[in-house]
Amino acid sequence: MGEAVLQHEANRLKLPVTVDSAGTAGYHVGDTPDERRVPWTVATCEKHGVPINHQARQVEKKDFKEFNYILASDHQALQNLSNLQRIAPKNPKAHVALFGSFGDDKAIADPYYGGQSGFDQCYRQCLAYSEGLLKSVYGDEIYNARKSEAEATTSQL
């Protein structure tokens, strides 16, 4: 959900961002989202007009050179990424951080056991952290101007 929400927010604000999602372990490489989670994930994203299309892959060595940020959803993933940095090429470009560090410094809560309300909470966190990341990258002035333009366009429809 984090990938979909961040890409949607960047697209909505017409900010050039490339977003990808990868796991720190190869358990589900090639799979679509977990069937138990799909209905709630998709329903939550659809409710907010966020397209979601993802196929699982594992973090790769090249990711540390290709991306500016590699974000972890929770502290375990952050620890796993720190361990994976040993495979990173010399002088990696990517800054590894907790996604929540662009908001309230919290991990994204695992929505699985919270039913629809857990997925709604996950969406709210992803949106807040996406806004925080985009503000950090583009600055408050550009972010706020783009947000105002996007909201004005939406209200005219």
Side-chain angles (χ1 to χ4, degrees):
M1 186 184 296
E3 172 191 2
V5 172
L6 176 55
Q7 188 66 69
H8 178 72
E9 186 66 4
N11 291 348
R12 185 179 77 82
L13 301 176
K14 297 181 178 141
L15 295 170
V17 174
T18 299
V19 183
D20 194 5
S21 178
T24 56
Y27 305 123
H28 301 288
V29 170
D31 292 352
T32 55
D34 184 325
E35 290 179 8
R36 296 167 297 174
R37 295 179 184 207
V38 169
W40 284 323
T41 301
V42 171
T44 302
C45 286
E46 285 178 350
K47 179 168 62 172
H48 297 283
V50 175
I52 187 165
N53 180 20
H54 175 71
Q55 188 171 27
R57 72 175 190 86
Q58 188 173 1
V59 173
E60 300 175 39
K61 184 177 183 175
K62 67 180 182 152
D63 293 338
F64 291 91
K65 278 284 198 192
E66 290 181 9
F67 294 99
N68 293 325
Y69 295 90
I70 297 179
L71 304 172
S73 58
D74 60 34
H75 295 286
Q76 183 60 56
L78 185 60
Q79 179 61 48
N80 292 347
L81 284 169
S82 295
N83 293 338
L84 283 172
Q85 282 185 298
R86 73 188 186 300
I87 69 163
K90 291 187 185 215
N91 303 313
K93 180 168 92 169
H95 171 71
V96 176
L98 185 69
F99 197 13
S101 69
F102 294 97
D104 59 10
D105 285 318
K106 292 183 180 178
I108 293 176
D110 184 349
Y112 183 66
Y113 298 103
Q116 185 60 56
S117 65
F119 285 82
D120 290 337
Q121 171 63 21
C122 180
Y123 171 81
R124 287 190 298 273
Q125 284 184 289
C126 289
L127 181 59
Y129 302 159
S130 294
E131 291 171 349
L133 173 64
L134 294 170
K135 283 180 184 179
S136 176
V137 170
Y138 289 98
D140 285 341
E141 188 174 327
I142 291 172
Y143 177 86
N144 291 332
R146 293 290 179 94
K147 186 172 181 178
S148 293
E149 289 171 14
E151 289 170 354
T153 302
T154 302
S155 68
Q156 291 174 0
L157 298 177

